[in-house]
Amino acid sequence: MAMAIDNVFEIDFSCYSTSTTTITTADDDPACTWNDWGSPVVDWGSLSSERDEFQDLIESMMDDGTGFKLSQVDNEMSNSVSVSVSVSSDTMVADDETNGEDFKGLRLVHLLMAAAEALTGATKSLELARVILVRLKELVSPSDGTNMERLAAYFTEALQGLLEGSGGGHSKHLIANGTHHHRDKHHQSDMLAAFQLLQDMSPYVKFGHFTANQAILEAVTHDRRIHIVDYDIMEGIQWASLMQALVSRKEGPPTPHLRITALSRGNNSWRSIGSIQETGRWLVAFAASIGQPFSFHQCKLDSDETFRPSAVKLVRGEALVINCMLHSPHYSHRAPGSVASFLSGAKTLNPRLVTLVEEEVGPIGDGEFMGRFIDSLHHYSAMFDSLEAGFPMQGRARALVERVILGPRITGSLNQIYRTRKEYESGPWWEWLNSVGYKAVNMSFGNHCQAKLLLGLFNDGYRVEELANNRLVLGWNSRRLLSASIWTSPQDSGL
Amino acid sequence: MFQPKKPSTMNSHDRPMCVQGDSGLVLTTDPKPRLRWTVELHERFVDAVTQLGGPDKATPKTIMRVMGVKGLTLYHLKSHLQKFRLGKQPHKELNDQTIKDDLQRNAASSSGMMARSMNEMQMEVQRRLHEQLEVQRHLQLRIEAQGKYMQSMLEKACQTLAGENMAAGGYKGMGNQGIPDIGTMKDLGPLNFPPFQDLNIYGGDQLDLQHNMDRPLLDDFISINDNSCLGKKRPSPYSGSGKSPLIWSDELRLQDLGTAPSCLGPQDDPFKTDQIQLATPNTELDSISEIYDAKPVLSGDGIGEKKFEESPKLERPSPRRAPLQAERMSPMINSGSMSQGRHSSFG
């Protein structure tokens, strides 16, 4: 069965990257040395002989020749996967060096796609996937090479995880944040360092936090008591700047009381820097240091992470805000069912404001794995590039962030895509909020202004778009990455 | 409140010549002779109105009769009375009315309208500019707040775990795990510290290496630390220096990231190859430290510069990064001016 990846032909990852400083020449290119499929790892003999055609296909994908074209392979074998790929001449750049680089990058992409297809396509072949992944692992490493190569390394890891998981039917047991991987839990110090670096090198974290906070400030201008229910408080840094803004606000009752209820889960996500209790302590201390009246509560989610609105203690006269940070890079993936239970349950609490920050997903076709896989490639490619563009010489720093934060995120993304592709509609959460009855709240001029200023502190490649009256989207070059939207419950008349 | 003289139109300089008629009325000589409401005339007017029981009761006809001024027509009185009535209301409306009258009167009223709408536009622009400045100011404060929080978080994480480790008697172990020598760090110079270079560096000496100045801001967190995280004072795990672990200098702050493992007592081999280990200084190190070098780059729009006058100027390294974070990270930064500014901005 032929798989048409026609729409993929236009993949041009170079559009996300600024000029890179690494240089690969044909001489260095290990591709030149790829010529043996007879490596011990792969025993082609054990595979069906009809695979010869496909073997050629794979080989030619690795081929170092220029302007390669793979002819469509029609294979009657039920187990085979045929890939029809061609590369337009536009992607070949005149310059030899970048030519080699782009070329290699494209090759990696094709391999990744082939592996993904083998893993999940209509004609699955785990064997084939394994083989391709092995080859990929020989080609790329997470710690050196170009952006594309490192990115491919993480995607390879992620696919490997899927492969191992799906082999034994373990997919259900994969933890939502994809930490099932063999790589050890990162040291807290690594986490802290990487988190710090992520914040300093990119606006991803701050964009979500500040946009949400500004909307909250505007919504509670005249309130004395504010209650925020935070879906995923992580280390709590979002609330530092909100508290600062509250103690220094000029309009309305001065220094309103802030109460935060953090949802906690049974299994402490390995990705968080501390436990919820620690976060609470940090927040309490910080609030005390700036004179912000503050109290902190926890609310446990059920074991399946379903949210029960009744578990939240409400106080009369307080302005209720629901804060839902889903996809800033250092956040864990949360099961869609849990998120849905939270957002729909929250509606019954009649919140004054709902802030939602999530990944902005590109066109995903019919929602099948391949489409989302490719979109994911684009997404993280843009992120890697954005870091490099800002800090081209700081490869080590970026490598740390990639290793500790982005890599696991990629794994988590793929896991989520893989596991939910059939069970769940994969549209964005803001669409879902719309459909269940939340009302949009206008994103103010000041908020938009703040976002633009923030991005300006980093790099010109970042941009913010107002895609709806209640939604700002952060993007890198032509790729949209993070969406921040604000809502209110339909019955609310407070605002 | 009621101004006998209207703002712009009754300015004698703008007006053509006035002649005084027999009745004592002052009329202008322009094509459309208009009555000039002198102070005297107006006082008589007010008297008459008062006699008649106030502006609401009085009518132009009755006023005319009472005033008994020759040459005063109903038309004059009508408009004057109207203004008088409005004069009893808030200022703003009067002005609007006045402006409207002016506009109606002016032959070149179109330019008046233009002036007005341009004025509005100007005001709108002003308003937006002002808002933008506010946003800038707030942004700065908010970024700082996140920085403070980050810092306090790092310290507390370190404290807590240092305490735990000590309790577990793991301290000695930590010392043994100290690696890439202090000598390495010395090579880089005191201020040139990439944050994560020290991930695997333990031991007490590192404090001495780095020390430069105390961070006054820390005092805030010190007292908090005493009360919350620690409960009781714990002996410093860094016996090498005489300083309390609570007092980190700027340069040390990011070293926390490096000392954190010492606090945490990593379970597994800290020398895992996939951790960043910088055994020898190389260009990479210097370039990493450059993340936090702020090279002043003038902001494109003048607004940015002006606003940050009172605090460190909006500096952007090339490539850019957040200026306030740069200040916060001053361990990495060689420029003294940065630290200078940082202190003020935290006030």
Side-chain angles (χ1 to χ4, degrees), chain A residues 10 27 69 81 85 101-102 116 138 162 168 180 212 264 268 292 313 345 347 351 354 461 480 495:
Chain A
E10 310 315 318
D27 294 332
K69 227 188 184 108
V81 168
V85 176
E101 212 169 84
D102 284 347
E138 292 172 5
L162 290 183
H180 174 73
S264 64
N268 193 22
Q292 166 68 45
K313 191 179 79 152
K347 200 150 73 86
V354 177
R480 297 180 177 140
L495 263 182

Side-chain angles (χ1 to χ4, degrees), chain B residues 11-250:
Chain B
N11 187 345
S12 58
H13 300 142
D14 303 339
R15 288 276 150 188
M17 274 230 288
C18 303
V19 296
Q20 192 138 14
D22 317 349
S23 57
L25 287 182
V26 180
L27 295 169
T28 58
T29 54
D30 60 8
K32 217 160 129 198
R34 277 171 240 165
L35 175 63
R36 198 143 168 217
W37 281 90
T38 62
V39 177
E40 274 175 23
L41 193 58
H42 181 68
E43 274 175 7
R44 283 176 73 168
F45 171 83
V46 174
D47 283 342
V49 166
T50 324
Q51 271 185 37
L52 293 164
D56 297 324
K57 292 233 174 72
T59 66
K61 216 177 194 176
T62 56
I63 296 172
M64 192 168 78
R65 213 179 13 194
V66 168
M67 280 175 78
V69 174
K70 217 161 142 204
L72 202 54
T73 66
L74 277 176
Y75 172 77
H76 294 138
L77 285 170
K78 217 156 104 172
S79 71
H80 198 75
L81 180 63
Q82 191 179 29
K83 289 193 193 73
F84 187 68
R85 282 178 181 153
L86 285 172
K88 302 289 183 189
Q89 289 175 355
H91 213 68
K92 176 189 171 231
E93 285 181 21
L94 175 64
N95 283 341
D96 280 352
Q97 186 66 29
T98 309
I99 292 169
K100 251 200 257 175
D101 288 345
D102 292 346
L103 291 175
Q104 282 163 10
R105 290 228 184 93
N106 279 337
S109 62
S110 59
S111 68
M113 294 260 197
M114 278 283 287
R116 186 179 180 201
S117 52
M118 277 192 46
N119 197 36
E120 282 174 354
M121 257 169 48
Q122 238 181 351
M123 282 172 53
E124 180 65 18
V125 167
Q126 289 273 14
R127 205 172 54 75
R128 292 243 150 161
L129 273 179
H130 178 73
E131 192 166 351
Q132 258 185 333
L133 290 180
E134 284 291 299
V135 169
Q136 246 179 348
R137 195 168 60 82
H138 291 151
L139 183 61
Q140 182 179 2
L141 293 171
R142 288 166 197 184
I143 292 178
E144 279 178 19
Q146 306 255 113
K148 273 164 72 166
Y149 186 84
M150 194 73 202
Q151 179 133 11
S152 110
M153 193 170 88
L154 290 173
E155 285 156 11
K156 290 195 180 61
C158 191
Q159 299 305 324
T160 316
L161 295 154
E164 284 170 8
N165 264 340
M166 288 188 45
Y171 176 49
K172 279 247 183 283
M174 282 175 355
N176 293 342
Q177 287 162 1
I179 317 112
D181 1 334
I182 310 294
T184 307
M185 291 163 36
K186 281 193 170 105
D187 288 341
L188 292 177
L191 293 176
N192 223 11
F193 249 108
F196 42 84
Q197 179 202 356
D198 310 326
L199 281 180
N200 299 311
I201 299 177
Y202 315 108
D205 289 357
Q206 56 187 342
L207 280 188
D208 296 338
L209 260 191
Q210 291 326 306
H211 170 59
N212 236 346
M213 56 189 130
D214 288 342
R215 284 200 53 226
L217 223 236
L218 253 263
D219 294 340
D220 295 342
F221 296 112
I222 291 171
S223 47
I224 293 166
N225 279 340
D226 283 345
N227 297 332
S228 61
C229 246
L230 303 182
K232 56 179 171 45
K233 270 266 193 258
R234 300 183 196 214
S236 161
Y238 307 104
S239 50
S241 88
K243 286 152 48 78
S244 152
L246 295 175
I247 302 176
W248 301 103
S249 69
D250 265 344

Side-chain angles (χ1 to χ4, degrees), chain A residues 65-80:
Chain A
T66 55
F68 72 75
K69 227 188 184 108
L70 297 174
S71 47
Q72 179 153 359
V73 174
D74 258 331
N75 200 314
E76 306 304 338
M77 288 291 297
S78 56
N79 275 347
S80 73

Side-chain angles (χ1 to χ4, degrees), chain A residues 220-241:
Chain A
V220 302
T221 329
H222 302 292
D223 291 277
R224 292 184 196 288
R225 306 195 64 87
I226 303 161
H227 181 197
I228 301 182
V229 178
D230 195 343
Y231 181 69
D232 198 354
I233 198 166
M234 295 292 278
E235 72 299 313
I237 199 171
Q238 172 178 4
W239 307 120
S241 60

Side-chain angles (χ1 to χ4, degrees), chain A residues 200 206 214 235 237 390 394, chain B residues 142 146 149 287 319 325 329:
Chain A
D200 291 344
K206 286 187 172 56
Q214 180 64 28
E235 72 299 313
I237 199 171
Q394 287 79 6
Chain B
R142 288 166 197 184
Q146 306 255 113
Y149 186 84
S287 49
Q325 292 159 345
M329 300 285 192

Side-chain angles (χ1 to χ4, degrees), chain A residues 6 31 40 49 108 123 175 267 403 413:
Chain A
D6 295 314
S49 59
L108 293 175
T123 52
I175 307 173
N267 56 330
R403 178 169 65 83
S413 272

